[in-house]
Amino acid sequence: MNEPVVPIQMTDDHQTMRLLNMSPVAVIIVTTREGEFLFANQRAYELIGATPGTPLPNTGELYIDLDRRAELLAKFKAEGSLRNEEAEFKRLNSDTTFWALLTWERMAYNDKSALVVWIYDITDRKEAEAAMAEARDLAERANQTKAEFLANMSHELRTPLNAIIGYAQILQEEMQDIGQSDVLPDLKRIESAGKHLLGLINDMLDLSKIEAGRMEVYLEPVILPRLLDELQSMGTQLAAAKGNRLEFIVPENLPVLRTDYTKLKQSLLNLISNGCKFAENGVVRLTVSLTPTDVLFELRDTGIGMTEAQLAKLFQAFTQADASTTRQFGGTGLGLAITRRLCRLLGGDVNVTSVPGEGSVFTINLPLRHAEDAPEEAAPAERMQLPAAGNAEGPLVLLVDDDPQIHDLIGTMLAREGYRVDHAGGGKEALEKARAEHPTVILLDVMMPQVDGWAVLGILKADPALKDIPVVIVSLLDERPLGLTLGAAEFLNKPVDRTRLIDTVRAYAGSASGCVLVVDDNEDDREVASRVLEAQGFEVASVGDGPSALAWLAANPVPSLMLLDLMMDGMNGFSLLDKVRHNPALRDLKVVVLSALDLSSDDQEFLIERGATIIPKGPNARTALLKALKTMRP
Amino acid sequence: MSIRILLVEDNPENRDMLSRRLIRRGYQMSFAMDGAEAVRLTQAELPDLVLMDLSLPVMDGWEATRQLKADPATREIPVIALTAHAMVGDRERAIAAGADDYDTKPVDLERLLSKIERLTPGKGA
């Protein structure tokens, strides 16, 4: 570990000493073991502030930060030397400090084992760095203040503006009612101007946020068909205003993108709105395509097109192709500037080609980043107070939600029904658990940070190993058609209705508690027993005599329980039980006997020998039955 | 009888705009200026629906909604939360407080009307 030491011999050669003392780098030599002072050059005395010719104190005592000293000693011990380490020291006889760039090397000095320390004074650099950091902090604070001011200001501007727009709308409605339609065009102008101003304010806020570096990007899995659906419904109206037709050409099997949903939507909407503005009775077409590295959105319009000179200024803020366009076509002139900045924030860009008189083609390219590259969210399941896991043998339900309260609420509902419940607090965790545990049903929230429910659904349905797991969306959003289109089995709205939830889970996962076969020749008794059992979440099959019971048992999987009446015509309960126990497959079938008889001790013995639990019919039967059922659930 | 709506809104212009538009469509309006008044009036008048702004003085709309949903006498009255902040967190907080639905301001009247109709089936003329 330690390199061989280099022996040095100090000489009395004045020339060498002069050179050493003239060095701008301080040199101190001490013994390795005790740190005893051996030599220091002139620069070292100056730097430390000691009187030349006197022994220097141990520099270990001069560290400002003792932890830093310990760190350096440990590193030296491990590596045998130190190179260019920074540390701050006190000066002797002064309350000033200096910053040093340190190099330590072991050497033999006049036959002693010595440590040579080179100290380069970097105080000036450190001070400059600190000043720069302070200036940067100041600038950042100023920027933040500006951005906050703009955010507040825009809110202050929007409040009265909303009143202007709102009253203009109300007046239009009211004037129409009383037949004063001559004032309607003026009111419409007030409304339009108000909306235009609102758009300007919103755009300026966006732009100032981007310029101040305060526009945050939320990378999330984005299901393109969903986004395009939304764009189509928003864009159709825009297109209709000037008689344009909006067309979307979208390939199948688009991957789930990892990008910022809102910003991508805004960028595409800006292009669509731009195309619809400059084309008239034409076609505005959005074509989506994939390259090995990128996804491309190409927006082609049959509008007026642009010259080279106009193209050059296109993405600059506050510049439409020429000033008269603003008057003719409206708009803030900020849309394309914002679009370019947003696309670049997302790691892509937007570009344009155009032929005057024929139209323009804008192309957004975004890097293909797949949803599953997401960093894992901080183990949310551990934060949650998880309810009881439910029946250890029941069907497994995977509950996916970022809200711990929902886990508590729905988890408890399901566990009470005897389902096993596993919890995932986010999309990525959900996918991992789905792969590892292959649950019977997945209950999936939509709005989750990072990997949201739509993305989880998309990935589940694209995976051959997982696509058959029924997914029930449980969401605040009312997006049932979308959910079902994307492959969800069912869509439930929050707040969750308990009965609907349980019915839905039961429909896809089956009963948690398994099946009970009721054997009784009295129809009323069968009915009562069935109702009690079904309320406990059991599936119930019922038959009226022994031979039917045997036939049912032969035709179906072994039930969790057989509830048996003793007094039946033909084959009675005793002989049925005996036959059941002679079938090896049914040897472990749990049997509860419901009996009105005062059983003789022989009869009791017969039943108990065959592993039956005896419950006397009567007022306490229901309680006793429920108690017996509970013991079935671990 | 027309459907009675309690509008809880502290901004006089917003209150006036929304109520005038709803009155034109045949709803009967009453008003509360803060959350505490909203709870008091809901208990006294038992309206068919409450439109609840969330940022309110005295008691905010979340707390008022929670109180209405905790009271057996008012629990069944649907509450639509309204807020200027179109933020996911606000919406979820409103639903968590027990609101039956949610909309953002400025109000898109047609959308709000469809929500009101959905939550007051079979009521009114």
Side-chain angles (χ1 to χ4, degrees):
Chain A
M1 201 157 38
N2 294 347
E3 287 174 21
V5 293
V6 184
I8 46 171
Q9 290 292 327
M10 292 303 280
T11 66
D12 291 333
D13 176 351
H14 283 276
Q15 198 65 26
T16 312
M17 283 310 291
R18 253 191 85 206
L19 279 173
L20 196 51
N21 277 328
M22 279 168 67
S23 162
V25 179
V27 179
I28 301 173
I29 304 175
V30 295
T31 59
T32 330
R33 201 155 303 153
E34 293 86 14
E36 183 198 336
F37 173 75
L38 295 175
F39 169 82
N41 71 352
Q42 198 170 324
R43 179 71 189 124
Y45 282 99
E46 284 166 17
L47 200 55
I48 292 173
T51 317
T54 60
L56 284 182
N58 189 338
T59 48
E61 292 160 18
L62 298 178
Y63 279 86
I64 296 285
D65 181 354
L66 292 178
D67 289 345
R68 177 66 178 148
R69 180 191 175 209
E71 192 185 321
L72 291 178
L73 285 173
K75 193 168 180 191
F76 180 67
K77 208 173 157 197
E79 296 175 9
S81 66
L82 287 184
R83 287 267 178 274
N84 299 332
E85 297 285 348
E86 295 182 359
E88 191 181 11
F89 293 91
K90 286 177 242 184
R91 277 204 174 84
L92 291 174
N93 311 317
S94 154
D95 49 9
T96 58
T97 66
F98 65 93
W99 274 93
L101 195 66
L102 297 171
T103 296
W104 293 7
E105 197 72 60
R106 249 178 240 275
M107 286 185 182
Y109 175 81
N110 291 346
D111 300 327
K112 286 182 185 164
S113 166
L115 170 66
V116 183
V117 179
W118 287 268
I119 306 173
Y120 187 65
D121 181 6
I122 55 166
T123 309
D124 288 350
R125 196 191 88 201
K126 280 292 192 184
E127 281 172 356
E129 280 173 8
M132 265 166 61
E134 196 180 341
R136 195 178 54 229
D137 280 356
L138 264 174
E140 275 171 8
R141 271 203 300 276
N143 236 339
Q144 197 171 333
T145 311
K146 188 180 93 181
E148 273 160 21
F149 171 80
L150 275 166
N152 291 335
M153 198 59 208
S154 84
H155 180 70
E156 295 304 315
L157 291 171
R158 271 187 275 207
T159 305
L161 198 48
N162 282 328
I164 292 172
I165 297 169
Y167 278 107
Q169 289 170 335
I170 288 174
L171 277 175
Q172 287 176 68
E173 291 169 7
E174 292 182 353
M175 290 298 113
Q176 208 151 20
D177 280 1
I178 57 171
Q180 295 270 352
S181 49
D182 52 330
V183 298
L184 288 181
D186 288 353
L187 290 171
K188 186 78 206 158
R189 279 179 202 118
I190 297 176
E191 187 192 342
S192 305
K195 282 185 168 165
H196 180 81
L197 185 53
L198 192 59
L200 262 173
I201 291 170
N202 290 339
D203 279 359
M204 276 174 58
L205 182 70
D206 277 352
L207 196 67
S208 69
K209 266 196 199 156
I210 297 171
E211 304 281 275
R214 298 207 5 126
M215 185 65 99
E216 284 172 29
V217 173
Y218 302 95
L219 291 183
E220 60 196 321
V222 172
I223 296 182
L224 285 174
R226 174 181 171 221
L227 186 146
L228 295 169
D229 268 2
E230 219 178 312
L231 281 174
Q232 193 146 28
S233 64
M234 294 167 93
T236 304
Q237 232 179 337
L238 283 173
K242 282 195 172 179
N244 291 307
R245 198 168 72 245
L246 183 62
E247 291 180 0
F248 278 47
I249 297 175
V250 183
E252 296 204 353
N253 302 323
L254 284 171
V256 176
L257 274 191
R258 187 165 158 68
T259 187
D260 185 313
Y261 186 90
T262 315
K263 294 184 180 60
L264 177 56
K265 188 175 92 181
Q266 189 180 348
S267 301
L268 288 169
L269 195 63
N270 279 346
L271 293 190
I272 291 173
S273 134
N274 199 64
C276 291
K277 205 179 288 169
F278 293 102
E280 215 168 332
N281 299 319
V283 177
V284 177
R285 180 183 299 140
L286 177 67
T287 308
V288 185
S289 60
L290 294 172
T291 74
T293 54
D294 284 45
V295 56
L296 303 180
F297 302 88
E298 188 193 86
L299 199 286
R300 184 181 292 269
D301 68 64
T302 53
I304 55 174
M306 283 168 287
T307 63
E308 284 292 324
Q310 288 171 324
L311 287 176
K313 291 197 290 181
L314 197 61
F315 293 107
Q316 292 168 20
F318 302 101
T319 314
Q320 282 183 328
D322 72 65
S324 65
T325 11
T326 311
R327 285 192 296 280
Q328 194 184 343
F329 296 101
T332 61
L334 292 177
L336 289 175
I338 291 171
T339 302
R340 168 156 277 179
R341 283 161 176 78
L342 289 179
C343 290
R344 289 184 175 173
L345 271 177
L346 299 181
D349 204 349
V350 56
N351 287 292
V352 63
T353 57
S354 186
V355 178
E358 288 181 19
S360 312
V361 181
F362 288 86
T363 309
I364 289 180
N365 66 293
L366 285 185
L368 274 175
R369 269 184 295 220
H370 293 280
E372 286 192 81
D373 302 341
E376 183 51 294
E377 47 265 60
E382 287 169 16
R383 282 189 278 113
M384 294 169 186
Q385 288 288 320
L386 298 182
N391 188 343
E393 286 170 11
L396 178 64
V397 178
L398 177 61
L399 176 53
V400 188
D401 203 302
D402 59 324
D403 181 353
Q405 281 184 351
I406 292 287
H407 280 275
D408 194 38
L409 184 75
I410 297 185
T412 309
M413 287 179 190
L414 292 172
R416 213 175 279 154
E417 293 299 315
Y419 291 97
R420 268 188 309 143
V421 184
D422 199 358
H423 302 264
K428 188 127 192 253
E429 193 187 353
L431 291 167
E432 277 164 13
K433 290 202 162 166
R435 286 195 185 106
E437 293 160 10
H438 214 87
T440 317
V441 170
I442 297 174
L443 293 184
L444 181 62
D445 179 33
V446 172
M447 285 191 290
M448 294 185 292
Q450 296 170 18
V451 184
D452 78 357
W454 297 126
V456 174
L457 184 58
I459 294 165
L460 286 172
K461 291 301 160 191
D463 185 334
L466 301 174
K467 72 176 168 39
D468 294 328
I469 302 176
V471 177
V472 177
I473 304 255
V474 183
S475 175
L476 289 166
L477 305 171
D478 194 8
E479 299 199 78
R480 186 187 175 80
L482 178 64
L484 300 186
T485 306
L486 291 174
E490 189 50 83
F491 191 99
L492 298 178
N493 267 116
K494 284 184 192 170
V496 184
D497 177 90
R498 184 182 167 280
T499 317
R500 278 211 64 196
L501 177 82
I502 299 301
D503 284 352
T504 307
V505 171
R506 204 173 280 162
Y508 292 102
S511 165
S513 314
C515 179
V516 176
L517 176 63
V518 177
V519 189
D520 199 316
D521 59 348
N522 181 316
E523 201 184 326
D524 291 343
D525 287 352
R526 280 205 305 271
E527 182 66 36
V528 170
S530 299
R531 227 180 296 143
V532 171
L533 290 164
E534 274 168 359
Q536 294 298 307
F538 288 93
E539 267 179 61
V540 179
S542 62
V543 294
D545 56 55
S548 310
L550 289 174
W552 190 93
L553 286 167
N556 290 285
V558 181
S560 312
L561 180 95
M562 179 165 73
L563 187 62
L564 182 60
D565 180 34
L566 289 176
M567 292 296 291
M568 291 184 295
D569 290 339
M571 189 193 296
N572 68 20
F574 293 101
S575 48
L576 175 60
L577 180 60
D578 199 43
K579 287 199 160 54
V580 161
R581 291 308 185 213
H582 276 93
N583 180 346
L586 299 174
R587 194 165 287 154
D588 295 326
L589 170 62
K590 192 158 172 123
V591 177
V592 171
V593 167
L594 262 183
S595 172
L597 293 170
D598 283 335
L599 290 171
S600 70
S601 56
D602 279 359
D603 288 344
Q604 285 193 23
E605 204 173 306
F606 179 94
L607 294 171
I608 289 164
E609 263 177 12
R610 285 158 184 80
T613 307
I614 305 164
I615 294 175
K617 282 188 180 173
N620 298 324
R622 187 172 177 276
T623 323
L625 177 59
L626 291 181
K627 212 167 142 192
L629 291 172
K630 276 217 180 75
T631 62
M632 290 177 51
R633 292 181 187 158
Chain B
M1 220 179 77
S2 58
I3 293 176
R4 293 169 305 131
I5 295 179
L6 176 69
L7 172 60
V8 190
E9 165 69 79
D10 61 322
N11 178 309
E13 277 156 1
N14 286 341
R15 203 165 54 225
D16 181 53
M17 281 193 288
L18 186 52
S19 62
R20 274 168 68 180
R21 301 178 88 178
L22 289 172
I23 287 167
R24 284 186 65 250
R25 282 163 173 83
Y27 292 96
Q28 190 183 324
M29 305 298 295
S30 57
F31 306 98
M33 317 301 156
D34 62 62
E37 193 183 4
V39 173
R40 210 166 52 241
L41 282 180
T42 308
Q43 286 164 342
E45 298 178 356
L46 300 175
D48 297 310
L49 182 128
V50 178
L51 287 175
M52 180 82 77
D53 184 31
L54 292 175
S55 313
L56 291 169
V58 189
M59 178 197 292
D60 68 29
W62 289 288
E63 178 55 29
T65 304
R66 242 187 307 279
Q67 292 198 8
L68 290 178
K69 291 300 175 183
D71 179 350
T74 56
R75 175 179 300 158
E76 304 298 328
I77 299 174
V79 175
I80 299 181
L82 296 175
T83 176
H85 317 290
M87 288 176 59
V88 171
D90 275 2
R91 175 191 168 118
E92 290 184 328
R93 275 177 69 203
I95 301 289
D100 299 84
D101 210 334
Y102 174 96
D103 216 328
T104 48
K105 296 193 298 187
V107 163
D108 175 337
L109 193 66
E110 295 310 317
R111 190 176 61 199
L112 181 64
L113 284 173
S114 75
K115 289 182 177 177
I116 292 174
E117 278 161 24
R118 196 164 58 75
L119 288 171
T120 55
K123 294 197 174 165

